[in-house]
Amino acid sequence: MDLSEKISFIVLLFQVVLSGVVGQTNKVIHHHNNGLSYGFYDQSCPQLETIVRGATQTFLLSDPTTAAALLRLMFHDCQVQGCDASILIDSFQSEMRSDKNFGVRQRGVINAIKSVVEAACPWRVSCADILVLAARDSVALSGGPPIDVPLGRRDSSNPPNYKLANSLLPPATAGVDATLRLFAQKGLTVEESVAIIGAHSIGATHCVNVRRRLFDSNAQRESKVPADLAALLSLNCPMGASSANISTVPNDRTSLTFDNRYYVNAVSGRGVLNIDAAMPTDPRTAGHVKRFATNEEEFFRAFSSAFVKLSSSNVLTGERGVIRRNCDTLY
């Protein structure tokens, strides 16, 4: 964290401590069917969501690409053993060592936010909940829908290793069948699965993940890349370049704004990844893609529902798991 970010956090911390948000609330707690609940921290840390949103906004102002990074970070955490903040653990065998987590970044943001939360509410809020809230706020702060999420997740005390992450995280070459099966395991409908992939609305894709779409003859037969897009991608991701692992291309022209442009591009054949090109032609997903391309509100509605389901699947609650004081260690 650089000096300006440290100063921002100090200011934020004093605002939290000195403000009146620490008072009690009268919000009714609604329980989720898996141990989570809306209003979970209303008594133990009523200022939590204010802290997380303010801190997340600070980081996004410093680096707008942080929104996509936090959203991806949450998805990768939730896909492996549920949303338990295990992706934040640093160890030789940790899931971050998985090749599938290549390019995952900004994990330190969650630890920084956690330090502010700890100052206000020591040892009460899990890193898992902070990660979900930061990802949720990243969507809203980038122009997407505000999403009400149930809370009460606990952190893993037995995080998975990179081998499990390798087996559970989808490859960049995943097609419609694999993608729908993956999200169905999390309880998502086909519509919600198409919507959650719309997270590609923000951020960029590493060149190593677009090469099949560009240079593989089978992939090109499945979905021809428009000539202007092919020229742009080839310019940024030339075949044989040694920088493919670090070079990126924007997912669309509004890569810092959470909108339905992803689907507009997909319908016109301008999707960057294989799944972007496959969904508009598959009869199971084509209707949803076209509807989201013309109706952003419908996309936002389905994405919000999918976000809640994905972030609530197979979570640790109650006496299971722990509350970690430092998100990057088990303590």
Side-chain angles (χ1 to χ4, degrees):
M1 187 185 302
D2 63 28
L3 180 60
S4 64
E5 290 171 334
K6 289 181 180 178
I7 293 173
S8 296
F9 265 100
I10 291 171
V11 172
L12 175 62
L13 177 57
F14 275 99
Q15 286 175 339
V16 169
V17 173
L18 297 177
S19 69
V21 296
V22 294
Q24 301 297 318
T25 72
N26 295 317
K27 184 177 178 180
V28 177
I29 296 178
H30 298 286
H31 291 280
H32 212 252
N33 60 8
N34 57 0
L36 303 177
S37 61
Y38 295 94
F40 183 85
Y41 294 106
D42 279 359
Q43 302 302 315
S44 61
C45 191
Q47 65 270 49
L48 171 64
E49 295 191 35
T50 300
I51 296 172
V52 175
R53 185 179 180 89
T56 302
Q57 186 170 30
T58 297
F59 276 105
L60 264 60
L61 288 172
S62 174
D63 177 6
T65 68
T66 297
L70 293 180
L71 190 53
R72 186 182 183 216
L73 182 62
M74 191 210 83
F75 285 168
H76 279 231
D77 184 49
C78 295
Q79 287 292 352
V80 183
Q81 202 172 275
C83 303
D84 59 3
S86 56
I87 198 169
L88 304 177
I89 295 292
D90 285 322
S91 73
F92 180 71
Q93 296 288 327
S94 74
E95 64 189 271
M96 269 303 296
R97 305 294 178 182
S98 167
D99 292 340
K100 303 283 186 65
N101 281 323
F102 167 76
V104 166
R105 60 190 184 89
Q106 298 290 32
R107 294 187 304 149
V109 167
I110 304 303
N111 217 25
I113 297 174
K114 170 68 166 176
S115 68
V116 181
V117 173
E118 281 294 305
C121 310
W123 224 319
R124 298 177 210 168
V125 181
S126 68
C127 299
D129 274 344
I130 291 173
L131 175 52
V132 169
L133 286 173
R136 182 274 303 268
D137 290 339
S138 292
V139 170
L141 291 167
S142 299
I147 306 171
D148 195 12
V149 294
L151 300 172
R153 297 164 191 80
R154 289 169 69 84
D155 302 322
S156 172
S157 59
N158 184 29
N161 61 28
Y162 69 93
K163 293 180 181 178
L164 185 61
N166 277 338
S167 67
L168 294 178
L169 290 170
T173 57
V176 174
D177 281 337
T179 300
L180 292 183
R181 283 197 304 270
L182 178 74
F183 289 124
Q185 293 170 0
K186 304 293 183 182
L188 275 64
T189 65
V190 173
E191 179 192 46
E192 290 167 336
S193 298
V194 174
I196 205 69
I197 297 170
H200 291 165
S201 169
I202 54 176
T205 298
H206 284 86
C207 287
V208 69
N209 293 328
V210 302
R211 281 185 164 177
R212 180 174 183 269
R213 181 128 158 79
L214 272 178
F215 304 119
D216 187 293
S217 57
N218 291 328
Q220 291 171 355
R221 281 197 296 270
E222 293 168 6
S223 176
K224 186 173 179 59
V225 183
D228 60 334
L229 177 62
L232 176 64
L233 294 179
S234 297
L235 181 64
N236 286 277
C237 304
M239 188 173 183
S242 59
S243 60
N245 283 344
I246 58 174
S247 299
T248 61
V249 291
N251 288 343
D252 61 43
R253 293 179 181 177
T254 59
S255 62
L256 297 178
T257 303
F258 195 96
D259 55 22
N260 67 337
R261 172 65 60 179
Y262 166 79
Y263 299 99
V264 174
N265 287 349
V267 168
S268 62
R270 301 183 63 82
V272 174
L273 292 169
N274 292 335
I275 189 65
D276 307 343
M279 285 198 307
T281 61
D282 189 291
R284 295 166 293 180
T285 55
H288 300 302
V289 173
K290 293 174 183 176
R291 181 160 49 88
F292 293 160
T294 59
N295 191 327
E296 189 173 74
E297 287 187 6
E298 280 290 289
F299 164 47
F300 283 2
R301 175 194 57 77
F303 180 87
S304 299
S305 176
F307 187 100
V308 171
K309 284 187 178 181
L310 179 62
S311 63
S312 303
S313 175
N314 194 34
V315 294
L316 301 171
T317 58
E319 297 301 316
R320 300 168 61 222
V322 297
I323 302 295
R324 301 202 299 263
R325 295 202 75 168
N326 298 295
C327 295
D328 57 356
T329 69
L330 292 177
Y331 307 103

